[in-house]
């Protein structure tokens, strides 16, 4: 029994090491809280800008805060390397988000989730985003249930997860 656990841990470590050492472009999901101070949003935007300039593809959602900052950074660097997946249809997004989202080339809407609560639709959306990425970078608070659950799901899928806490 301990041998199978050791093999899983070695496989996980090997996969994470390969992803970290990969010098080519990666598919990086960037998710986080809507409630982010402007200074943190500026840092997220700059980090995303640098990731895209390095040739990485960014996958995020369309919420305000973290995701909006990621969209800004990616759009400045190379709009073609950005994919935004919405939890619901574009019409269900707040007006300030819609104006930004209308500029995104690769926008995926999920109108079939319009009848769900935003929390349920966001969780489903985050699962789709994680399924498309190699690495997840997440900005959350310790009580951000949906985001922390998404990080757990990503780890179960053996994705490299980097989690930053605001609190």
């Amino acid at each position: 029994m301990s041998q199978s656990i050791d093999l899983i841990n070695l496989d996980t470590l090997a996969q994470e090491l390969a992803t970290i050492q990969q010098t080519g472009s990666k598919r990086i999901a960037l998710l986080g809280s809507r409630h982010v101070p402007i200074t943190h949003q500026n840092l997220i935007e700059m980090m995303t800008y640098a990731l895209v300039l390095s040739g990485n593809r960014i996958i995020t959602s369309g919420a305000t805060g973290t995701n909006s900052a990621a969209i800004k950074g990616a759009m400045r660097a190379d709009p073609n390397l950005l994919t935004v997946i919405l939890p619901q249809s574009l019409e269900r997004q707040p007006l300030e988000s819609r104006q930004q989202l209308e500029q995104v080339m690769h926008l995926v809407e999920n109108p079939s989730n319009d009848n769900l609560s935003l929390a349920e639709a966001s969780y489903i959306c985050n699962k789709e985003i994680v399924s498309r990425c190699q690495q997840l970078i997440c900005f959350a608070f310790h009580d951000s249930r949906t985001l922390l659950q998404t990080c757990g799901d990503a780890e179960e899928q053996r994705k490299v997860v980097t989690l930053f806490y605001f609190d």
Side-chain angles (χ1 to χ4, degrees), residues 38-57:
I38 191 71
T39 54
H40 290 74
Q41 288 181 42
N42 290 337
L43 290 171
I44 293 165
E45 180 180 342
M46 285 188 292
M47 180 190 69
T48 308
Y49 178 76
L51 287 168
V52 172
L53 283 181
S54 301
N56 296 291
R57 296 188 150 280

